Amino acid sequence: MEIFKTKDALKAYLKPLKASGKIIALVPTMGALHNGHISLIKLAQENADIIICSIFVNPTQFTDPKDLEKYPRPIEHDLAMLENAGCNGVFMPDVTEMYPSDKTEHWHIDLGRAEFLLEGEFRKGHYQGVTQIVKKLFDAVEPNIAMFGQKDFQQVLMIKNMLTHFNLPIKIFTCPIIREDDGLAMSSRNIHLSASDRTHALVLNKSLQFVLDNYNNYSLTELQEKAKNFYNGIKDVELDYFVIANGDTLEPATSKNEKNQVALVAAKVGTTRLIDNMIIN
């Protein structure tokens, strides 16, 4: 497994591979890897010849500096996981490689109304930062395909909108959410959960599963209200939102006749903010 610190070194490695017709896949991450990330590597291996994983904790997508400071960075653990998974190359640039201090850079693109819904409402500017760094990674790798996890459902939609904005010929693969045995969605943030928080966090999956199991038994309004009731009285759990939305626009679903509906939830558990979702149809 090759490790690259600069865009030039990465491009030099990839150039002959692309010339020989190899299909290149990019798996962008911020590190603190878990089996959900490895599932992205495995999916990439089924659809490409060369797998490049990036590890970069991107400062422009953190709306809270404390969040950036405490983001886990277990790099030796991450590299061991990637090597065991059969990753071909890892791109680990410094911040100055991706954001040269001698250049003034302005980034703002039209991501559509969905940018300001759900996570966009709670984390102003977050998706501008996400699309900014993903565009930089796409420019560095120029992959044929890129892999993202369904857990960040809104993020995937924003990245697809960014691809359309720049007319980039990259195919996006979305990998299903990988869960722990008790149903908790795997996340790099889970490391911050205390033992009691870990137990309380199971309410996210339970409320989503309730909607999936009872979708035909109640109206959309009733389903959302009953799902929200799961959070009543749980110590140290604060619900930010629970919504059944149109998966293409993230606007609240108004009819069960709408295709591509998804239930999305965000809640603060202890001091850790978690998100989760479940595709309904």
Side-chain angles (χ1 to χ4, degrees), residues 80-130:
M81 285 192 77
L82 291 174
E83 185 148 31
N84 289 337
C87 187
N88 301 104
V90 183
F91 182 42
M92 299 194 316
D94 293 330
V95 172
T96 53
E97 177 71 8
M98 303 309 287
Y99 298 97
S101 57
D102 60 338
K103 293 182 179 179
T104 300
E105 181 176 353
H106 174 74
W107 175 275
H108 190 279
I109 62 173
D110 183 2
L111 294 170
R113 173 172 157 72
E115 178 191 354
F116 307 105
L117 304 176
L118 305 178
E119 289 302 290
E121 182 178 349
F122 285 86
R123 305 169 72 184
K124 306 293 185 185
H126 172 67
Y127 290 116
Q128 291 296 327
V130 168

Side-chain angles (χ1 to χ4, degrees), residues 53-229:
C53 179
S54 63
I55 297 177
F56 182 72
V57 182
N58 177 43
T60 69
Q61 70 190 70
F62 284 85
T63 52
D64 184 347
K66 293 180 181 178
D67 233 6
L68 173 61
E69 183 180 336
K70 73 177 185 178
Y71 196 86
R73 295 168 171 85
I75 191 61
E76 291 184 5
H77 164 270
D78 290 350
L79 291 176
M81 285 192 77
L82 291 174
E83 185 148 31
N84 289 337
C87 187
N88 301 104
V90 183
F91 182 42
M92 299 194 316
D94 293 330
V95 172
T96 53
E97 177 71 8
M98 303 309 287
Y99 298 97
S101 57
D102 60 338
K103 293 182 179 179
T104 300
E105 181 176 353
H106 174 74
W107 175 275
H108 190 279
I109 62 173
D110 183 2
L111 294 170
R113 173 172 157 72
E115 178 191 354
F116 307 105
L117 304 176
L118 305 178
E119 289 302 290
E121 182 178 349
F122 285 86
R123 305 169 72 184
K124 306 293 185 185
H126 172 67
Y127 290 116
Q128 291 296 327
V130 168
T131 52
Q132 180 182 30
I133 189 58
V134 172
K135 176 63 163 57
K136 287 176 177 286
L137 292 170
F138 284 169
D139 289 345
V141 179
E142 295 181 329
N144 303 97
I145 64 176
M147 329 305 288
F148 294 91
Q150 178 197 316
K151 188 177 76 68
D152 295 297
F153 189 93
Q154 187 171 5
Q155 173 178 279
V156 177
L157 181 60
M158 295 298 96
I159 290 168
K160 288 180 177 178
N161 288 354
M162 183 266 285
L163 286 179
T164 300
H165 179 87
F166 290 105
N167 194 30
L168 297 178
I170 299 169
K171 183 176 181 180
I172 300 297
F173 283 74
T174 306
C175 185
I177 296 173
I178 305 300
R179 299 183 180 277
E180 305 286 357
D181 291 341
D182 57 11
L184 183 67
M186 291 186 179
S187 170
S188 301
R189 293 175 179 267
N190 291 350
I191 193 174
H192 298 304
L193 297 171
S194 67
S196 60
D197 290 342
R198 179 69 173 67
T199 299
H200 295 156
L202 299 179
V203 69
L204 277 77
N205 180 58
K206 289 176 181 177
S207 62
L208 290 167
Q209 191 63 50
F210 171 83
V211 169
L212 191 65
D213 293 342
N214 293 276
Y215 185 73
N216 295 322
N217 299 332
Y218 301 101
S219 69
L220 292 175
T221 300
E222 289 172 325
L223 282 167
Q224 289 178 131
E225 288 308 309
K226 289 180 180 293
K228 290 176 182 178
N229 288 339

Side-chain angles (χ1 to χ4, degrees), residues 16-78:
L17 295 171
K18 292 178 179 178
S20 66
K22 299 293 186 183
I23 302 299
I24 311 298
L26 172 63
V27 182
T29 82
M30 293 205 300
L33 305 183
H34 48 69
N35 285 336
H37 295 105
I38 300 307
S39 72
L40 297 177
I41 300 292
K42 297 302 182 184
L43 181 62
Q45 289 168 335
E46 295 172 8
N47 293 277
D49 303 305
I50 301 296
I51 315 303
I52 301 296
C53 179
S54 63
I55 297 177
F56 182 72
V57 182
N58 177 43
T60 69
Q61 70 190 70
F62 284 85
T63 52
D64 184 347
K66 293 180 181 178
D67 233 6
L68 173 61
E69 183 180 336
K70 73 177 185 178
Y71 196 86
R73 295 168 171 85
I75 191 61
E76 291 184 5
H77 164 270
D78 290 350

